[in-house]
Amino acid sequence: MAKYKLISVSGEQTFDIPAGQAVVVGRAVTSDMPIYDPTVSRQHAELRADERGLNVKDLGSSNGTFVNGTQITETVAAPGDVVTFGKVAFNLTEESPAGAPPPPDAFAARPPPPEATIVRKIDVPSSGELAAVAEGRTSGESLLKVEGESEEERSEKKLRLLLEISMELSKMQDVDKLLEKVVDITFQVMSVDRVAIQMCEDSSGELIPRLSRNRLGDMSSRSHVPKSIANRAVEERLAILTDNAAMDERFQGKSILMQSVRSAMCTPLMGSDGTVLGIIYVDNLTATNSFGDEDLEFLIAFSGIAAVAIENGQLTDRVRREAVVLSNFQRYFAPDVVEQIANQEEAVKLGGAKRPVVVFFSDIRGFTSMSENMNPDDIATLLTEYFTEMVEIVFEFGGTLDKFMGDAIMALWGAPVSTGDDCDRAVKAGMKMLDALEELNKKWAAEGRPEVQIGIGINFGDVFAGNIGSEQRMEYTVIGDSVNVASRLCSKAKVSEILISEPFYKALQDPPKVEALEPLELKGKAEVVPVYRVKR
């Protein structure tokens, strides 16, 4: 019996599927085929290879199992199909037994039969201009659902239809719903058996099935886009019409024969920069010569409108994601750091990771007693001026504002972005804060306002860093013993004093002059902690 392999579209994972044995796919480490992705359930699907092909059975997964973009409960997949668990896609391949000759199939080279022709192909260059090239004999009658007593009337109705489609698609911003609408419209305006959309993956350029439906609206039926047709449409930027795909030597492949594809059209979805976003594919499973030139030309115009809408939808998704990042992080990170985070696809998910981080605390000395003699407005004004100046210094040296805690500031270096000299940046920021505070105190003294004095504590060590909270409200912060040590160093620091830990001092690349102090006993620490005071 043939041996099957599942190869991830990224090429990072390959699994052999033994014949006659049940293989459980899931996120659990005990799975026969473990896939460590959050969209994959612990027990996601069961696979079993037999003489029919690879039987794929969903085990009640949260995010579904798909074959060629169609969600399934149980079906049989064949070599050349794409099997997707959650959002992780695999190509199914078949290996012939060692020493066995390859089976005769449509991949073998053979002279084209006389009726095998591409009826029409249209090059789609990056510029978006279409150059038509006719090949072979004339095509069949048009299957467009557009009536008219004359060619002029039909042309007018087609233009009006395309305008209505453009207006309808322009209202939609969600890409998934947009793709569903494109499929719906295709069935409304064309007499086709099946419609499928595949999208190019950004990183690899691989075509990933996104949506497939037959004319009865059934998305659970086994549907497939022949790879030979899809790949040529993408690689050569061709809009293709073939009147008998199973006999066409240009599209020889098992999937075409197995799917009984007869007439088919496929056109690339071209982005504004000349890249291929994906393809739209339609076919007829029973009748040859189904489509005509008019159908192909209409599909090209329709795909152009759809591509613009899809590109706008993708842009809207990116802008929305970046807006979430900015709303969550703009107050806490330097502008260049915010930009880096906004450009990361997975920037605003809950969770985090263990990483080495500089933790920085500064605290106003005697603030409680000072505030007792001030009215609330004066306190708010003073703190606003103080925090504004201090936070600007944190950002100037590439730090992250973690939070305000009353009159205290907690800042980070090394999270979420590390620079390699985070410790040096942090200590320089602390020294500049003390200098800036001297200038602020001179200003406040001249205005008859009280002076402010601070102490600073800095530590370096491993912490848990990430987004904590809920999907509606999250906060980027760090948790761990290193945070506690930094806070306690700050509480021990005297006026205008910067206390640093030994791990922090050892991590400095260009250390300032320091003075070793008596090791401190810190709450929660079994042993005394070596401490240094930074000299100014």
Side-chain angles (χ1 to χ4, degrees), residues 141-148 153-154 157-158 161-162 164-165 183-193 195 214-216 265 290-291 294-295 298:
E141 294 297 323
S142 172
L143 294 182
L144 269 179
K145 297 177 182 179
V146 178
E147 297 180 354
E153 185 179 353
R154 280 179 56 80
K157 287 187 176 182
K158 282 190 292 182
L161 177 60
L162 288 170
E164 292 173 358
I165 291 172
V183 171
D184 290 340
I185 290 174
T186 306
F187 280 116
Q188 290 173 22
V189 301
M190 303 186 77
S191 297
V192 297
D193 287 339
V195 180
N214 65 24
R215 62 182 171 183
L216 300 178
M265 294 191 298
S290 295
F291 304 122
E294 183 181 23
D295 299 315
F298 186 88

Side-chain angles (χ1 to χ4, degrees), residues 233-245:
V234 172
E235 292 167 4
E236 300 183 32
R237 288 170 166 75
L238 286 176
I240 297 168
L241 186 160
T242 179
D243 67 352
N244 194 344

